[in-house]
Amino acid sequence: MNGIDLLSEFVVTGSLCGLRIDSPVGDVDRVMQGDYIDAVDGGGLVMRRDYGLMEFGFNSDSEFGWVLKGCGIQLHRLPYSPDLLEELRNDMGIDFQPYTTWGELSQGVSHRGGGSLEVSDQDTFLKYRMPSTKVSVIVNNVKEERDDYVGYGDVWAVHLG
């Protein structure tokens, strides 16, 4: 699968590789491959799990244990981390490019029948949100060239929650 297909599906369905809000941590363990870092807050009620490109946020639930409350794909990490690109290909069969433009992603969302997106200007970023799925696409709005950093019109991150 290529990165645009994964991202488009995420925006339109609110599901990342089959994972949705309230998925148990065991489902994340079954879907995700590779190493990760867990960080639990002092009270033990919130956990963040970082796989490098993908991050997952969990809340502790007395009945179900850790349940997913949000997740995201940190695309801004790809230009300076070619190892992440290789890991995604090898571990999950997902082929991302170092940069993803909003134009490419917008077209993918449209082809999947995605509805209208709410747009807000956050100065250095534009935020495109699909209200029905609670997925937001954060796009770089600073007029700069690409290098080890995403350029103007490139997707910074895609978040659910």
Short mmCIF file of all heavy atoms in Angstrom, two decimals, residues 52-85:
data_model
loop_
_atom_site.label_atom_id
_atom_site.label_comp_id
_atom_site.label_asym_id
_atom_site.label_seq_id
_atom_site.Cartn_x
_atom_site.Cartn_y
_atom_site.Cartn_z
N GLY A 52 7.67 6.04 16.14
CA GLY A 52 8.53 6.79 15.23
C GLY A 52 7.72 7.64 14.29
O GLY A 52 7.72 8.86 14.39
N LEU A 53 7.01 7.03 13.38
CA LEU A 53 6.14 7.78 12.48
C LEU A 53 4.72 7.88 13.03
O LEU A 53 4.07 8.90 12.91
CB LEU A 53 6.10 7.13 11.10
CG LEU A 53 5.24 7.87 10.07
CD1 LEU A 53 5.85 9.21 9.73
CD2 LEU A 53 5.06 7.04 8.82
N MET A 54 4.27 6.82 13.67
CA MET A 54 2.90 6.79 14.19
C MET A 54 2.93 6.86 15.72
O MET A 54 3.76 6.22 16.35
CB MET A 54 2.19 5.54 13.73
CG MET A 54 2.03 5.48 12.23
SD MET A 54 1.15 4.00 11.73
CE MET A 54 1.49 3.99 9.99
N GLU A 55 2.00 7.64 16.25
CA GLU A 55 1.86 7.78 17.70
C GLU A 55 0.42 7.47 18.08
O GLU A 55 -0.51 7.81 17.35
CB GLU A 55 2.21 9.20 18.15
CG GLU A 55 3.66 9.55 17.98
CD GLU A 55 3.97 10.94 18.50
OE1 GLU A 55 3.07 11.63 19.02
OE2 GLU A 55 5.14 11.33 18.38
N PHE A 56 0.26 6.85 19.24
CA PHE A 56 -1.06 6.47 19.73
C PHE A 56 -1.22 6.98 21.15
O PHE A 56 -0.29 6.88 21.96
CB PHE A 56 -1.23 4.94 19.72
CG PHE A 56 -1.15 4.36 18.34
CD1 PHE A 56 0.07 4.04 17.76
CD2 PHE A 56 -2.30 4.17 17.60
CE1 PHE A 56 0.15 3.53 16.48
CE2 PHE A 56 -2.24 3.65 16.32
CZ PHE A 56 -1.00 3.34 15.76
N GLY A 57 -2.39 7.50 21.47
CA GLY A 57 -2.70 7.95 22.81
C GLY A 57 -3.80 7.09 23.41
O GLY A 57 -4.79 6.78 22.75
N PHE A 58 -3.60 6.68 24.67
CA PHE A 58 -4.54 5.79 25.34
C PHE A 58 -4.98 6.39 26.67
O PHE A 58 -4.21 7.10 27.32
CB PHE A 58 -3.88 4.44 25.64
CG PHE A 58 -3.38 3.71 24.44
CD1 PHE A 58 -2.09 3.91 23.99
CD2 PHE A 58 -4.19 2.82 23.77
CE1 PHE A 58 -1.60 3.23 22.88
CE2 PHE A 58 -3.73 2.14 22.66
CZ PHE A 58 -2.43 2.35 22.21
N ASN A 59 -6.19 6.06 27.06
CA ASN A 59 -6.68 6.35 28.40
C ASN A 59 -6.88 5.02 29.11
O ASN A 59 -7.24 4.02 28.48
CB ASN A 59 -8.01 7.11 28.37
CG ASN A 59 -7.84 8.55 27.97
OD1 ASN A 59 -6.74 9.07 27.84
ND2 ASN A 59 -8.96 9.22 27.75
N SER A 60 -6.68 5.04 30.41
CA SER A 60 -6.90 3.84 31.20
C SER A 60 -8.39 3.71 31.47
O SER A 60 -9.05 4.66 31.87
CB SER A 60 -6.14 3.94 32.53
OG SER A 60 -6.36 2.79 33.30
N ASP A 61 -8.92 2.53 31.23
CA ASP A 61 -10.34 2.24 31.44
C ASP A 61 -10.42 1.07 32.41
O ASP A 61 -9.82 0.02 32.17
CB ASP A 61 -10.98 1.90 30.10
CG ASP A 61 -12.46 1.64 30.21
OD1 ASP A 61 -12.82 0.58 30.77
OD2 ASP A 61 -13.26 2.46 29.73
N SER A 62 -11.15 1.23 33.50
CA SER A 62 -11.19 0.20 34.54
C SER A 62 -11.73 -1.13 34.02
O SER A 62 -11.34 -2.20 34.49
CB SER A 62 -12.02 0.67 35.72
OG SER A 62 -13.34 0.97 35.32
N GLU A 63 -12.59 -1.09 33.02
CA GLU A 63 -13.17 -2.33 32.49
C GLU A 63 -12.32 -2.94 31.37
O GLU A 63 -12.17 -4.15 31.28
CB GLU A 63 -14.58 -2.05 31.96
CG GLU A 63 -15.31 -3.28 31.50
CD GLU A 63 -16.73 -2.98 31.05
OE1 GLU A 63 -17.22 -1.86 31.29
OE2 GLU A 63 -17.33 -3.87 30.44
N PHE A 64 -11.75 -2.10 30.50
CA PHE A 64 -11.08 -2.60 29.30
C PHE A 64 -9.57 -2.41 29.29
O PHE A 64 -8.90 -2.78 28.34
CB PHE A 64 -11.67 -1.92 28.06
CG PHE A 64 -13.12 -2.19 27.88
CD1 PHE A 64 -14.05 -1.19 28.14
CD2 PHE A 64 -13.58 -3.43 27.46
CE1 PHE A 64 -15.42 -1.43 27.99
CE2 PHE A 64 -14.92 -3.67 27.30
CZ PHE A 64 -15.85 -2.68 27.56
N GLY A 65 -8.98 -1.81 30.29
CA GLY A 65 -7.54 -1.53 30.30
C GLY A 65 -7.25 -0.29 29.46
O GLY A 65 -8.04 0.66 29.46
N TRP A 66 -6.16 -0.27 28.73
CA TRP A 66 -5.81 0.87 27.90
C TRP A 66 -6.65 0.86 26.63
O TRP A 66 -6.70 -0.14 25.91
CB TRP A 66 -4.33 0.83 27.50
CG TRP A 66 -3.38 1.03 28.63
CD1 TRP A 66 -2.55 0.10 29.17
CD2 TRP A 66 -3.17 2.24 29.36
NE1 TRP A 66 -1.82 0.66 30.20
CE2 TRP A 66 -2.18 1.97 30.33
CE3 TRP A 66 -3.70 3.53 29.31
CZ2 TRP A 66 -1.71 2.93 31.23
CZ3 TRP A 66 -3.25 4.48 30.19
CH2 TRP A 66 -2.27 4.18 31.13
N VAL A 67 -7.33 1.99 26.34
CA VAL A 67 -8.13 2.11 25.12
C VAL A 67 -7.67 3.34 24.34
O VAL A 67 -7.30 4.37 24.91
CB VAL A 67 -9.64 2.17 25.42
CG1 VAL A 67 -10.14 0.86 25.97
CG2 VAL A 67 -9.99 3.31 26.34
N LEU A 68 -7.70 3.21 23.03
CA LEU A 68 -7.24 4.26 22.13
C LEU A 68 -8.14 5.49 22.19
O LEU A 68 -9.36 5.37 22.07
CB LEU A 68 -7.19 3.71 20.70
CG LEU A 68 -6.57 4.60 19.64
CD1 LEU A 68 -5.09 4.79 19.91
CD2 LEU A 68 -6.78 3.99 18.26
N LYS A 69 -7.52 6.65 22.37
CA LYS A 69 -8.27 7.91 22.40
C LYS A 69 -7.81 8.87 21.30
O LYS A 69 -8.43 9.89 21.07
CB LYS A 69 -8.14 8.59 23.77
CG LYS A 69 -8.89 7.84 24.84
CD LYS A 69 -10.35 7.71 24.47
CE LYS A 69 -11.10 6.77 25.38
NZ LYS A 69 -12.44 6.45 24.92
N GLY A 70 -6.74 8.54 20.63
CA GLY A 70 -6.27 9.36 19.52
C GLY A 70 -5.01 8.76 18.94
O GLY A 70 -4.32 7.96 19.58
N CYS A 71 -4.73 9.10 17.69
CA CYS A 71 -3.51 8.62 17.05
C CYS A 71 -3.15 9.57 15.93
O CYS A 71 -3.95 10.39 15.51
CB CYS A 71 -3.67 7.19 16.54
SG CYS A 71 -4.98 6.94 15.35
N GLY A 72 -1.92 9.47 15.48
CA GLY A 72 -1.47 10.35 14.42
C GLY A 72 -0.29 9.79 13.67
O GLY A 72 0.42 8.89 14.14
N ILE A 73 -0.11 10.34 12.49
CA ILE A 73 1.03 10.01 11.63
C ILE A 73 1.84 11.29 11.50
O ILE A 73 1.36 12.29 10.98
CB ILE A 73 0.56 9.51 10.26
CG1 ILE A 73 -0.37 8.31 10.44
CG2 ILE A 73 1.76 9.17 9.38
CD1 ILE A 73 -1.03 7.83 9.15
N GLN A 74 3.07 11.26 11.97
CA GLN A 74 3.95 12.43 12.03
C GLN A 74 4.81 12.49 10.76
O GLN A 74 5.99 12.19 10.76
CB GLN A 74 4.84 12.36 13.27
CG GLN A 74 4.09 12.16 14.56
CD GLN A 74 3.10 13.27 14.84
OE1 GLN A 74 3.34 14.42 14.54
NE2 GLN A 74 1.97 12.91 15.43
N LEU A 75 4.21 12.91 9.65
CA LEU A 75 4.89 12.90 8.36
C LEU A 75 6.10 13.83 8.32
O LEU A 75 7.02 13.61 7.52
CB LEU A 75 3.90 13.27 7.25
CG LEU A 75 2.81 12.24 7.03
CD1 LEU A 75 1.69 12.81 6.20
CD2 LEU A 75 3.37 10.99 6.40
N HIS A 76 6.13 14.84 9.16
CA HIS A 76 7.25 15.78 9.17
C HIS A 76 8.56 15.10 9.56
O HIS A 76 9.64 15.65 9.33
CB HIS A 76 6.96 16.96 10.12
CG HIS A 76 6.76 16.55 11.54
ND1 HIS A 76 7.79 16.48 12.43
CD2 HIS A 76 5.64 16.16 12.20
CE1 HIS A 76 7.32 16.08 13.60
NE2 HIS A 76 6.02 15.88 13.50
N ARG A 77 8.50 13.90 10.11
CA ARG A 77 9.71 13.17 10.50
C ARG A 77 10.38 12.45 9.33
O ARG A 77 11.54 12.06 9.43
CB ARG A 77 9.38 12.16 11.60
CG ARG A 77 8.92 12.80 12.89
CD ARG A 77 8.56 11.76 13.92
NE ARG A 77 8.13 12.41 15.16
CZ ARG A 77 7.57 11.77 16.17
NH1 ARG A 77 7.40 10.46 16.11
NH2 ARG A 77 7.20 12.42 17.26
N LEU A 78 9.67 12.25 8.24
CA LEU A 78 10.19 11.44 7.14
C LEU A 78 11.36 12.07 6.38
O LEU A 78 12.30 11.35 6.03
CB LEU A 78 9.06 11.08 6.17
CG LEU A 78 8.04 10.10 6.73
CD1 LEU A 78 6.92 9.87 5.72
CD2 LEU A 78 8.69 8.78 7.12
N PRO A 79 11.35 13.38 6.09
CA PRO A 79 12.47 13.91 5.30
C PRO A 79 13.84 13.73 5.94
O PRO A 79 14.84 13.58 5.23
CB PRO A 79 12.13 15.40 5.15
CG PRO A 79 10.65 15.47 5.30
CD PRO A 79 10.31 14.39 6.29
N TYR A 80 13.91 13.74 7.25
CA TYR A 80 15.21 13.61 7.90
C TYR A 80 15.43 12.22 8.51
O TYR A 80 16.44 11.99 9.18
CB TYR A 80 15.43 14.70 8.95
CG TYR A 80 14.47 14.67 10.13
CD1 TYR A 80 14.71 13.86 11.23
CD2 TYR A 80 13.33 15.46 10.13
CE1 TYR A 80 13.84 13.84 12.31
CE2 TYR A 80 12.46 15.45 11.20
CZ TYR A 80 12.72 14.63 12.28
OH TYR A 80 11.85 14.61 13.33
N SER A 81 14.52 11.29 8.25
CA SER A 81 14.63 9.94 8.82
C SER A 81 14.38 8.88 7.76
O SER A 81 13.35 8.19 7.79
CB SER A 81 13.64 9.77 9.96
OG SER A 81 13.90 10.65 10.99
N PRO A 82 15.31 8.70 6.83
CA PRO A 82 15.09 7.67 5.81
C PRO A 82 14.93 6.27 6.40
O PRO A 82 14.31 5.41 5.78
CB PRO A 82 16.33 7.76 4.91
CG PRO A 82 17.31 8.61 5.63
CD PRO A 82 16.57 9.40 6.66
N ASP A 83 15.44 6.05 7.61
CA ASP A 83 15.27 4.75 8.27
C ASP A 83 13.79 4.46 8.52
O ASP A 83 13.36 3.30 8.45
CB ASP A 83 16.03 4.70 9.60
CG ASP A 83 17.53 4.73 9.41
OD1 ASP A 83 18.00 4.57 8.26
OD2 ASP A 83 18.24 4.92 10.41
N LEU A 84 12.99 5.50 8.82
CA LEU A 84 11.56 5.31 9.04
C LEU A 84 10.88 4.82 7.76
O LEU A 84 10.00 3.96 7.81
CB LEU A 84 10.89 6.60 9.50
CG LEU A 84 11.06 6.99 10.95
CD1 LEU A 84 10.41 8.35 11.20
CD2 LEU A 84 10.48 5.95 11.87
N LEU A 85 11.28 5.38 6.63
CA LEU A 85 10.71 4.95 5.34
C LEU A 85 10.98 3.47 5.12
O LEU A 85 10.08 2.72 4.72
CB LEU A 85 11.30 5.77 4.20
CG LEU A 85 10.93 7.24 4.14
CD1 LEU A 85 11.82 7.98 3.16
CD2 LEU A 85 9.47 7.42 3.79
#
